[in-house]
Structure formats: structure tokens, C-alpha cells
């Protein structure tokens, strides 16, 4: 049976949690710092646009980008926010796999009959509910496997918050996806891929099973 998987990814969870707690932070550049104000561990899109880098040390970022609001991390707040988001996701389908503080896979297979709508509309319903009740923005990727759902969720961040990879457009999207952009392909594996002339996700799935 074909499964329909969604990956829900909270956008900049730490910054989003700070904004949900303090609405006055909405729309201004915000960065969350690690313990002892060490380095940047979360950035709003406004802070990214100014050129703030993930992991940049605070003592370097502050004089370079003084207009960003730097916030000390409140991990109790982030943990509580994550738990609320995950609880909401589980209210839509019992099959939820939490894989990090800000990501979870949802198996939506069969929910079409439950909600009497297609999976894209169900993803929109979930996304809107999380925003309306918790004020946390979530990007959702839809496809038939976890890897494709992860790829779709990355694309969703720049496509209105929801992106689906169906069978009709799958090969085209995979041909446009660099192999290093696929979840699980790190630096060491990337060297092997390039040695095997695998440069895109489509190149990879086109290789024979014994090579894989």
C-alpha cells in the first residue's frame, strides 16, 4: 500500500517560540544565542537577510550587525513549545514520528476519508491550526517516502509553507536537486557519489541496485 508522508518542520523554532511568547518581536531581526551568549543558534528571516550566519560568535556578530536583537536561549520555553506542537500534530493522525525538537513525520495514509479532502488540504489544515493556536509557523512537505517528504519540506519554506512531490513531477524535481542537498548525504558520502558520477538525486535513483 502506498503511504502518504508529511514532514512538519517548525520554522526557526527558537525564534518563533520567543515571538509567540512576546508578540512585539514579530517582524524585527532576532537571533537566539547559545549558553553564555556564545554563538548564534537560531535566526529570524530578517536576521538572515542582514547577513547573520548560523553559528557566528556573538562577539563578532554584535559589532557587525548591531540592529539585530540578540536573545539569550530559554530552552525550557523551546521544549514546552515543541511539546505543544507535537501534541497538536498527534491530534490529526496517531502515526507521528518525532525526530527532533522541531521536526516530525506524519503518516497521513487514510486520512483522506477521515477529513474528506486531499492530503494537500489536510497539510494546510494542520499548518493553519498550529499557527492559529500556538503562533508557530510550520513548513510541511508531502510525498510517498520520508526522504522525499524531507526534500519537499525544504522546498516548502520558499513556496508558501507547503510543497508536495507527486509521481508526475518527481523525476523533474530530483533532476534539479543536487545530491548534497539530500538528507543523509554528508561530506564523506558526497565524495563517493561524485566518484560514481552521481551529481543529482535523479542520478542516484537511476543507478542499479547493486551499485547502491
Amino acid at each position: 500500500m502506498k503511504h502518504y508522508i508529511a514532514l512538519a518542520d517548525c520554522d526557526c523554532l527558537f525564534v518563533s517560540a520567543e515571538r509567540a511568547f512576546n508578540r512585539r518581536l514579530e517582524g524585527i531581526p532576532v537571533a537566539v544565542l547559545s549558553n553564555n551568549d556564545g554563538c548564534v543558534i537560531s535566526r529570524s528571516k530578517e536576521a538572515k537577510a542582514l547577513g547573520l550566519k548560523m553559528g557566528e560568535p556573538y562577539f563578532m556578530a554584535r559589532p557587525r550587525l548591531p540592529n539585530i536583537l540578540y536573545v539569550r536561549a530559554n530552552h525550557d520555553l523551546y521544549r514546552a513549545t515543541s511539546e505543544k506542537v507535537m501534541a497538536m500534530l498527534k491530534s490529526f493522525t496517531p502515526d507521528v514520528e518525532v525526530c527532533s525538537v522541531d521536526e516530525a513525520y506524519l503518516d497521513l495514509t487514510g486520512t483522506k476519508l477521515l477529513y474528506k479532502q486531499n492530503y494537500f488540504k489536510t497539510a494546510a489544515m494542520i499548518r493553519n491550526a498550529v499557527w492559529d493556536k500556538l503562533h508557530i509557523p510550520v513548513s510541511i512537505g508531502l510525498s510517498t517516502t520520508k526522504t522525499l517528504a524531507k526534500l519537499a519540506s525544504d522546498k516548502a519554506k520558499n513556496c508558501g509553507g507547503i510543497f508536495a512531490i507527486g509521481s508526475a513531477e518527481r523525476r523533474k524535481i530530483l533532476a534539479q536537486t543536487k545530491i548534497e542537498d539530500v538528507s543523509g548525504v554528508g561530506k564523506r558520502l558526497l565524495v563517493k557519489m561524485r566518484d560514481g558520477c552521481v551529481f543529482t538525486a535523479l542520478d542516484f535513483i537511476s543507478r542499479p541496485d547493486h551499485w547502491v
Side-chain angles (χ1 to χ4, degrees):
M1 181 178 66
K2 182 182 291 186
H3 284 257
Y4 293 89
I5 308 297
L7 177 63
D9 182 3
C10 300
D11 299 337
C12 308
L13 176 62
F14 295 175
V15 168
S16 295
E18 294 286 351
R19 285 176 166 174
F21 182 74
N22 182 359
R23 300 295 176 86
R24 291 177 297 178
L25 301 181
E26 197 69 48
I28 67 173
V30 178
V32 175
L33 302 173
S34 62
N35 293 337
N36 300 317
D37 297 343
C39 59
V40 175
I41 58 174
S42 184
R43 307 163 294 166
S44 69
K45 63 181 181 180
E46 296 85 1
K48 292 178 185 178
L50 291 174
L52 183 65
K53 300 175 183 178
M54 181 66 81
E56 186 170 356
Y58 173 59
F59 77 89
M60 294 175 61
R62 183 58 187 269
R64 189 171 69 86
L65 298 167
N67 293 328
I68 294 176
L69 177 63
Y70 298 90
V71 179
R72 290 183 176 180
N74 182 346
H75 291 288
D76 289 337
L77 172 63
Y78 311 150
R79 189 179 304 109
T81 301
S82 174
E83 290 173 353
K84 291 177 182 178
V85 171
M86 300 308 165
M88 277 204 67
L89 297 180
K90 292 175 183 177
S91 71
F92 290 97
T93 173
D95 195 350
V96 176
E97 178 186 344
V98 178
C99 48
S100 69
V101 69
D102 60 353
E103 287 185 329
Y105 288 102
L106 294 77
D107 192 334
L108 299 181
T109 309
T111 59
K112 184 182 290 187
L113 295 176
L114 176 63
Y115 297 118
K116 295 180 173 59
Q117 59 188 7
N118 62 39
Y119 296 112
F120 194 94
K121 289 183 178 179
T122 297
M125 179 177 68
I126 294 171
R127 184 171 184 269
N128 291 337
V130 174
W131 175 257
D132 290 342
K133 294 186 178 181
L134 301 177
H135 208 69
I136 299 296
V138 176
S139 295
I140 299 180
L142 292 166
S143 198
T144 54
T145 70
K146 289 181 179 179
T147 301
L148 288 173
K150 172 64 176 174
L151 178 60
S153 75
D154 292 339
K155 293 182 178 297
K157 296 182 184 300
N158 298 313
C159 297
I162 304 174
F163 192 86
I165 299 178
S167 56
E169 66 277 1
R170 182 173 59 187
R171 291 184 67 85
K172 178 181 178 181
I173 291 174
L174 293 181
Q176 297 170 344
T177 302
K178 296 178 181 179
I179 191 63
E180 58 264 36
D181 293 336
V182 175
S183 177
V185 178
K187 293 181 179 179
R188 293 178 62 184
L189 190 55
L190 179 59
V191 172
K192 295 183 179 180
M193 292 290 185
R194 289 176 174 168
D195 287 344
C197 295
V198 173
F199 301 102
T200 69
L202 183 61
D203 291 337
F204 180 77
I205 69 167
S206 300
R207 300 307 298 266
D209 288 349
H210 71 269
W211 185 89
V212 174

